[in-house]
């Protein structure tokens, strides 16, 4: 006879509220990106709908939610997907500023907020691929990526 409780622990995804929480996070983040003169050119889509969808799926999968990202796009390969873009410390800091505002909107518990923010900071720092102050945009705009070992072509929608 069981007591009706499920012994398996909740995932972070479930603990913070699931899909709705990640949609709110991503929507708030892209509100900031939409008007950012450094980050916005990195997103080829006019309305950012695809970028929102990809980032939501990625974060949900990372935190224990649905595996839709992997099913649709394969392994995340974040460094490879961001390689064609000029991600310098200024771009990283702008990304973090918009994400910080988005995380704050969620009003998570202190532990959940710290856990999420720690990951986002580490991810943002890991995406930096140059310390050059200029040259924002895809490699077609002049960034030399010949020395970057890519195993597959980066898709047109290279950002998560």
């Amino acid at each position: 006879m069981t007591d009706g409780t499920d012994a398996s622990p909740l995932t972070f995804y479930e603990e913070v509220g699931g899909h709705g929480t990640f949609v709110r996070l991503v929507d708030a983040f892209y509100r900031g990106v939409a008007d950012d003169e450094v980050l916005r050119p990195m997103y080829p889509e006019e309305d950012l709908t695809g970028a929102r969808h990809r980032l939501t799926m990625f974060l949900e999968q990372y935190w224990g939610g649905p595996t839709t990202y992997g099913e649709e796009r394969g392994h995340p390969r974040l460094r490879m997907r961001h390689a064609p873009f000029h991600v310098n410390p200024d771009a990283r800091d702008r990304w973090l500023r918009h994400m910080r505002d988005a995380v704050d909107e969620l009003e998570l518990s202190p532990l959940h907020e710290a856990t999420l923010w720690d990951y986002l900071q580490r991810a943002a720092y890991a995406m930096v691929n140059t310390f050059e102050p200029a040259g924002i945009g895809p490699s077609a705009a002049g960034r030399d990526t010949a020395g970057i070992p890519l195993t597959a072509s980066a898709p047109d929608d290279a950002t998560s």
Side-chain angles (χ1 to χ4, degrees):
M1 182 170 206
T2 66
D3 63 2
T5 60
D6 184 358
S8 60
L10 295 176
T11 64
F12 183 90
Y13 172 82
E14 294 165 326
E15 289 178 1
V16 299
H19 180 72
T21 298
F22 287 93
V23 167
R24 286 184 10 236
L25 174 71
V26 170
D27 284 350
F29 170 71
Y30 279 111
R31 277 196 309 273
V33 169
D35 295 324
D36 190 296
E37 68 274 5
V38 170
L39 297 181
R40 184 61 182 96
M42 294 186 193
Y43 297 88
E45 299 153 324
E46 192 169 313
D47 68 1
L48 298 171
T49 299
R52 280 185 174 93
H53 176 67
R54 291 186 299 275
L55 183 57
T56 301
M57 287 189 311
F58 170 77
L59 291 172
E60 288 180 328
Q61 179 171 304
Y62 181 86
W63 291 106
T67 59
T68 312
Y69 184 92
E71 293 162 10
E72 287 187 16
R73 298 181 54 84
H75 189 280
R77 302 182 318 247
L78 294 181
R79 294 272 305 166
M80 185 203 79
R81 291 184 194 276
H82 290 82
F85 298 93
H86 186 99
V87 182
N88 66 6
D90 178 48
R92 174 203 62 213
D93 293 347
R94 288 167 178 268
W95 190 94
L96 282 169
R97 189 170 331 135
H98 299 304
M99 193 55 82
R100 177 75 257 173
D101 291 343
V103 169
D104 288 346
E105 282 190 30
L106 295 179
E107 298 181 344
L108 298 173
S109 73
L111 178 60
H112 289 121
E113 183 274 328
T115 302
L116 178 60
W117 185 243
D118 176 68
Y119 168 76
L120 294 168
Q121 283 185 299
R122 287 183 292 112
Y125 274 79
M127 293 306 106
V128 172
N129 58 24
T130 186
F131 290 92
E132 297 171 8
I136 302 299
S139 59
R143 178 144 186 266
D144 180 15
T145 59
I148 298 173
L150 299 179
T151 56
S153 298
D156 289 339
D157 59 353
T159 53
S160 293

